[in-house]
Amino acid sequence: LRIARRICEGYDGGGANVLRPFESTRVEVFSMSKSIPFGARATADKLLAGIDLSGKRFLVTGCNSGIGFETMSALTANGGQVLGLARLLADAQAACAKVSPGATPLACDLADLESVAAAAAAIRALNAPLDAIVANAGIGNLPTLQTRYGVEMQFLVNHIGHFALLNELSDLVRN
């Protein structure tokens, strides 16, 4: 009974109702008098202003709209090479053409693990390291419950698809 009590309650022999004195009464006060340079309305261009990304290679999922498109745009504007992934190759091509001729479009449907594997193989075939992976793509607010592989679609795309992609490519990311 004693062993079970120690395991279940974290029993240390002092009893459950024993209060121990607080060892330090020193209080540290931190001031936030300096303003934070970037807030909720900061843009990717503002964050990267003055940073030279020449020679750096990035992978951005969901490059065809929203934050993914803006991220890809800012990275290429500062000299970075971007591999833009979208569900459909046509969408990736259109987005990459808008931002830079140096952006490389690739198809990767994160809801289809065969598509994820094919995209990873295509990226590996480039024989070039990556400096960062921006796992941005996602879906939400599906009107009905949809599943694939026995997994709810939103969880599959937003988490498992990215997990599979990153596991395939993690050794390509430079330290």
Side-chain angles (χ1 to χ4, degrees):
L1 182 62
R2 280 185 177 176
I3 292 172
R5 183 175 176 193
R6 261 185 264 158
I7 292 171
C8 293
E9 298 176 7
Y11 183 69
D12 63 0
N17 297 322
V18 176
L19 295 176
R20 291 176 180 66
F22 186 66
E23 293 183 19
S24 173
T25 57
R26 183 174 174 228
V27 176
E28 291 186 46
V29 177
F30 295 98
S31 173
M32 296 198 51
S33 60
K34 292 183 181 179
S35 66
I36 299 171
F38 305 110
R41 296 192 184 274
T43 64
D45 289 326
K46 202 183 267 190
L47 293 171
L48 293 175
I51 297 175
D52 182 18
L53 298 175
S54 299
K56 304 288 185 188
R57 179 172 291 210
F58 303 91
L59 182 144
V60 178
T61 66
C63 74
N64 57 311
S65 65
I67 294 171
F69 180 80
E70 293 300 325
T71 301
M72 181 173 68
S73 179
L75 292 170
T76 57
N78 287 292
Q81 294 177 311
V82 176
L83 304 174
L85 276 65
R87 186 179 307 146
L88 302 174
L89 182 59
D91 292 343
Q93 288 171 331
C96 289
K98 286 180 188 174
V99 298
S100 170
T104 305
L106 292 166
C108 181
D109 183 355
L110 292 166
D112 180 359
L113 297 179
E114 289 178 13
S115 175
V116 172
I123 293 164
R124 285 188 169 286
L126 298 173
N127 291 321
L130 297 169
D131 290 288
I133 297 174
V134 181
N136 164 72
I139 60 172
N141 300 324
L142 297 175
T144 61
L145 176 66
Q146 299 173 27
T147 62
R148 184 177 287 168
Y149 310 115
V151 177
E152 191 269 330
M153 191 68 77
Q154 184 173 331
F155 185 72
L156 176 64
V157 170
N158 297 354
H159 301 283
I160 295 175
H162 277 117
F163 180 79
L165 182 66
L166 270 62
N167 273 329
E168 288 290 323
L169 301 176
S170 62
D171 62 320
L172 293 180
V173 180
R174 295 184 234 212
N175 288 333

